[in-house]
Amino acid sequence: MKKKLFIAGDSTAAQKSGEAKPETGWGEKLSCFLSSEIEVRNYAQNGRSTESFITEKRLDQIIKEIGPGDFLLIQFGHNDQKIDTPIGTMPYGDYQENLARFVEVALAKNSFPLLLTSVTRRDNLPDGRLNPKTLGDYPEAMIALGETLAVPVIDVYRLTQDYYGRLGMEETKKLHLHLAPGQHPNYPAGVTDNTHFNDYGAHQIARIIAAAIRETEHPLKRYVR
C-alpha cells in the first residue's frame, strides 16, 4: 500500500485549474521527485493562511485521511501576512499556535510532520538586491516553533532566497507568471506576478524542496529519488 503525502499550504503550492494555467504550484511537481510508493494529496489552496485553512475545515479533511506512516508537509506565511484581514496571523502569536495544531494532527495519527518555511517572493529592492524580509518574521517564527516542538523544519525561504540570488533579477523572471498581452489565452491583457510560479518555476522549487528533504534525517527522505 502506498504511503500518502499531504500538502497543507497556500497558492504557491496549490494545484491550479485549467483557466489559471500556466500558473503552477510547486505541490503539483513534487511527485516528479518522489518514489512511486508515495501518493501526493495536495490540499494547498489559493489565498489560505494557517487561520483560514483551519476555520474552513480543510485540516479536518486531512485528519480523516491521514494515517500511520503518512507524511504532512506544512507551508504557509504569504497570506498570514495579511494581518489587517480576518485571515491574518501574528508570526509569534496565532501563526505559531496554528502551525502547532497541524503538527499535533500529524503526531496524533502516528504520521510524520515536516514544516517548510515560505518560498520567497521575487521582490527586489531599488538597488536590485532581493528583499531579505519579503516574508517578514514568518520564516523565523516557524523555525523557532520547530525547535520548541522538536519537529524538523526545512528552511525553504533561505534556500529559495539563495537560489534567486544566484540567478539574478532578470533570470528569476523565468520562474514566475510573466506574460505579455496576447501571449496566453488565459491572460489576454498579460500578467506580471512575482509570487506565483509558471510550470518551469514550480518544477525548480519542487526540485529544491526534494533535494533538501534528501539531506535531512526525516523518514520521507527514503522516498526521494
Side-chain angles (χ1 to χ4, degrees):
M1 182 180 296
K2 289 187 177 184
K3 299 289 186 184
K4 297 184 290 293
L5 185 154
F6 295 84
I7 301 173
D10 57 30
S11 57
T12 59
Q15 179 80 33
K16 307 300 178 178
S17 60
E19 60 268 21
K21 294 295 184 180
E23 183 181 331
T24 309
W26 63 257
E28 297 183 65
K29 297 295 185 176
L30 192 59
S31 61
C32 299
F33 303 95
L34 299 174
S35 158
S36 60
E37 298 172 77
I38 291 286
E39 175 191 346
V40 176
R41 297 192 181 184
N42 189 355
Y43 276 87
Q45 289 286 326
N46 287 16
R48 270 54 182 195
S49 66
T50 55
E51 184 72 20
S52 60
F53 198 95
I54 292 171
T55 58
E56 292 175 5
K57 301 189 182 303
R58 297 179 186 279
L59 181 56
D60 289 352
Q61 188 59 42
I62 292 176
I63 292 171
K64 293 177 183 177
E65 298 180 23
I66 197 168
D70 291 338
F71 304 97
L72 176 58
L73 272 55
I74 306 150
Q75 184 183 79
F76 291 94
H78 287 81
N79 298 302
D80 288 85
Q81 282 188 301
K82 300 173 182 177
I83 57 174
D84 56 346
T85 74
I87 72 170
T89 65
M90 296 302 293
Y92 289 99
D94 39 358
Y95 180 62
Q96 287 184 322
E97 293 166 9
N98 290 343
L99 290 173
R101 173 65 180 142
F102 286 86
V103 170
E104 290 164 5
V105 161
L107 295 178
K109 291 298 189 102
N110 294 314
S111 56
F112 300 102
L114 180 58
L115 294 165
L116 309 177
T117 59
S118 311
V119 293
T120 190
R121 293 187 179 92
R122 184 181 175 273
D123 179 12
N124 292 89
L125 299 171
D127 63 4
R129 290 181 301 117
L130 197 62
N131 182 358
K133 295 295 287 184
T134 185
L135 265 294
D137 291 332
Y138 293 86
E140 291 87 351
M142 178 182 277
I143 291 168
L145 178 72
E147 292 173 352
T148 298
L149 300 180
V151 170
V153 183
I154 292 178
D155 193 358
V156 176
Y157 184 70
R158 179 184 60 79
L159 293 172
T160 52
Q161 281 257 313
D162 290 348
Y163 177 55
Y164 280 41
R166 292 193 302 272
L167 288 179
M169 184 167 58
E170 285 303 309
E171 282 297 304
T172 55
K173 287 181 181 178
K174 297 177 182 179
L175 305 174
H176 286 273
L177 197 62
H178 282 218
L179 296 169
Q183 187 176 350
H184 196 282
N186 284 344
Y187 300 89
V191 62
T192 300
D193 185 335
N194 290 314
T195 296
H196 300 103
F197 306 110
N198 57 28
D199 186 87
Y200 171 72
H203 189 274
Q204 292 301 97
I205 299 303
R207 178 185 59 79
I208 289 169
I209 291 171
I213 292 170
R214 195 168 52 211
E215 295 301 314
T216 70
E217 295 305 316
H218 194 277
L220 183 57
K221 71 176 288 184
R222 64 172 290 214
Y223 299 102
V224 177
R225 56 184 179 140

